[in-house]
Amino acid sequence: MSFSLWAVAGFIVAVCVLVTVHEFGHYWVARRLGFKVLRFSVGFGRPLWSRIGRRSGTEYVLAAVPLGGYVKLLDEREAPVPATELTQSFTHRPHWQRIAVLLAGPAANFLFAIGLLAAILLATGTVELRALQGAPLANSPAARAGVLAGDEVLAVNGRAVASQSDTCVALFEGLASSAPLTLTLRGADGTQRVAHFAFANAAERRALTDPASAPDCLGLQVQQLPAPAVLGTVDPTGPAALAGLRAGDEILGINGEPVHDYQDLVTAVRAHPGDAIAVQYRRDGRSAATRIQVGVTTRDGTRIGQIKVASLHAPEYPPGVERRARPGPIAALGIASVEAWGMTRFQVRMLWGMLTGDVSVKNLGGPLSIAEYAGDSAHAGLGVFLVFLVQISLVLGFMNLLPIPILDGGQVLMQSIEWLKGSPLSERVQLAGQQLGIALVALLLGVALYNDITRQFG
């Protein structure tokens, strides 16, 4: 992966927005509960702009390094506090108020994600595709389980699913446990049956949770609807445009192999990352040929080819396959809340699976992966980037609730212990907690960075 301007810009915008939202949660609740907020900074380093609030005395700062931000509260553990302001100091406020301030940051991330997702649903509506399956890959777990082309997935391990996206999440959650994995299917003839997946051992099952295996891990294939291999949009800076292709061109073949529809084109290009391919096409009734140097991107840990084009024709689904709805404001908030809960529950299952050894730790991504996804989503358009912000905001909220001492969740744990014992923890215990927290965070970041690097160069 090469870090494009899209990746850098997308990463900076995402970090600035989401960390500012997180810190605003701490700030807003602290102000409402009577804590003195000394500084609210967007960014780190040298201040580019600052202003002190007349009534609050809070210094508002816009700093030079746009990679986060912070809120600084009055706290005598950091500097002497005048006696007249002791009641506004963090350690002199009731424990429940301290805990409320600590929880406000993750809560702000969750509320931001729900609100943004509800706004997206109001603007675009909802689109769901029934979980119809194509022919499974030969000799795959799905083929051995008896899944057939035309089957519709109704439930995974007895839990009903309503769409393709529901099915994907439920399948991964099923793989992430040690329980038997089953699919309730409805065949093309309308009859229902249960497909049982068999795995040689736990190691084989865990290997299927590796991101590199994820797209085809069980051999299930989404039912594809044919669309003509006609180019709708061609990125002017992409490999296809550089080779002379234009919108409206019909692709006839790749390396001498016929291309029957747009999915054939996608499959052929993805199989040749970094290669030069011969492309036969038709323009204005005349056939021609060119060579394209295929670009490379990484998706779920796998290198795939791309030429930066899009189809002219959207798939036309038969009646009943595609479900569209336009929710009102209340319904949109309800749907967004359910979706946010589902995403967060999935994070919990993933993390627990990694701790128990049921899920590959290669699923842990770091800043390089986030930057890559930020760039891809920003390049794809505002709507896709906003969905990315929803997902990362939920991740940020969840990760900060982990009981690691230097994170909000760890601080909540320590404040709860102090509250129960009726006296502050000793400086020795607090220092040990901070050191443990730093070590755990460093370990997580180390594994995530290792995964990032091996995804790109492994």
Side-chain angles (χ1 to χ4, degrees):
M1 178 196 70
S2 58
F3 277 97
S4 64
L5 289 176
W6 284 108
V8 174
F11 181 76
I12 290 175
V13 170
V15 170
C16 275
V17 169
L18 299 181
V19 175
T20 299
V21 166
H22 182 93
E23 296 301 329
F24 180 78
H26 291 310
Y27 163 82
W28 190 84
V29 172
R31 286 288 311 276
R32 294 304 176 277
L33 292 178
F35 292 74
K36 184 174 180 61
V37 182
L38 299 178
R39 178 179 295 172
F40 181 6
S41 177
V42 177
F44 298 99
R46 183 173 62 86
L48 301 177
W49 173 89
S50 66
R51 182 177 69 84
I52 296 178
R54 293 180 180 178
R55 288 186 296 178
S56 65
T58 301
E59 181 185 17
Y60 302 95
V61 176
L62 184 63
V65 182
L67 291 175
Y70 63 93
V71 167
K72 184 177 181 180
L73 302 178
L74 184 68
D75 193 330
E76 66 266 32
R77 293 173 299 180
E78 299 181 2
V81 175
T84 55
E85 295 183 341
L86 274 177
T87 57
Q88 296 176 284
S89 172
F90 182 84
T91 53
H92 280 69
R93 305 302 299 176
H95 283 90
W96 72 266
Q97 293 186 0
R98 302 183 213 175
I99 292 172
V101 170
L102 291 167
L103 291 176
N109 284 122
F110 290 127
L111 292 174
F112 173 81
I114 292 170
L116 181 55
L117 185 53
I120 294 171
L121 292 174
L122 283 172
T124 64
T126 62
V127 180
E128 289 185 342
L129 298 178
R130 288 169 53 195
L132 294 169
Q133 303 302 304
L137 296 178
N139 301 317
S140 66
R144 295 195 299 269
V147 178
L148 303 174
D151 283 345
E152 180 180 4
V153 180
L154 303 179
V156 178
N157 284 353
R159 193 181 92 196
V161 293
S163 64
Q164 294 281 14
S165 58
D166 284 352
T167 302
C168 291
V169 173
L171 280 170
F172 202 94
E173 289 186 352
L175 278 174
S177 71
S178 56
L181 180 61
T182 63
L183 297 184
T184 303
L185 303 171
R186 179 164 55 211
D189 60 358
T191 60
Q192 291 190 22
R193 67 187 191 281
V194 177
H196 298 266
F197 285 80
F199 306 99
N201 49 48
E204 180 195 26
R205 184 168 180 157
R206 183 172 57 253
L208 292 174
T209 66
D210 190 312
S213 303
D216 304 318
C217 66
L218 292 171
L220 292 169
Q221 299 287 292
V222 174
Q223 187 180 75
Q224 298 290 343
L225 296 177
V230 178
L231 305 185
T233 58
V234 179
D235 188 321
T237 63
L242 296 177
L245 293 181
R246 304 175 190 167
D249 290 346
E250 181 182 2
I251 307 302
L252 305 175
I254 300 289
N255 289 340
E257 295 293 327
V259 170
H260 301 290
D261 53 42
Y262 192 79
Q263 187 57 41
D264 280 354
L265 171 61
V266 172
T267 301
V269 169
R270 287 184 174 180
H272 292 280
D275 296 339
I277 58 174
V279 178
Q280 297 79 47
Y281 65 98
R282 182 185 292 122
R283 178 185 297 165
D284 299 329
R286 298 181 180 179
S287 297
T290 187
R291 293 187 69 81
I292 300 179
Q293 185 66 39
V294 179
V296 181
T297 189
T298 304
R299 184 166 299 167
D300 295 321
T302 303
R303 296 172 77 249
I304 61 174
Q306 65 172 10
I307 57 174
K308 296 191 175 180
V309 298
S311 174
L312 175 64
H313 300 277
E316 295 184 5
Y317 297 99
V321 173
E322 184 180 43
R323 305 186 184 102
R324 291 181 175 269
R326 277 280 187 182
I330 302 301
L333 276 174
I335 295 170
S337 299
V338 172
E339 288 290 322
W341 165 245
M343 293 182 205
T344 304
R345 184 186 66 187
F346 182 71
Q347 293 178 56
V348 174
R349 293 291 298 272
M350 286 280 289
L351 181 59
W352 180 251
M354 284 187 272
L355 292 174
T356 59
D358 292 324
V359 175
S360 171
V361 294
K362 292 181 181 179
N363 286 282
L364 190 63
L368 300 183
S369 292
I370 295 174
E372 179 183 5
Y373 297 145
D376 289 346
S377 61
H379 190 267
L382 178 61
V384 179
F385 184 68
L386 292 179
V387 172
F388 165 78
L389 286 183
V390 169
Q391 295 169 338
I392 299 302
S393 189
L394 291 172
V395 170
L396 183 60
F398 167 67
M399 294 300 291
N400 268 281
L401 287 177
L402 295 178
I404 298 175
I406 63 172
L407 301 179
D408 293 328
Q411 291 299 311
V412 168
L413 177 62
M414 296 179 75
Q415 291 296 327
S416 300
I417 293 172
E418 283 191 0
W419 194 2
L420 290 173
K421 71 189 290 284
S423 61
L425 294 172
S426 67
E427 291 186 7
R428 181 179 177 182
V429 170
Q430 293 186 45
L431 179 60
Q434 290 176 355
Q435 291 173 339
L436 176 62
I438 292 172
L440 289 173
V441 170
L443 176 62
L444 287 172
L445 284 175
V447 173
L449 280 171
Y450 175 79
N451 287 342
D452 284 351
I453 293 170
T454 53
R455 284 187 186 118
Q456 307 309 322
F457 305 106

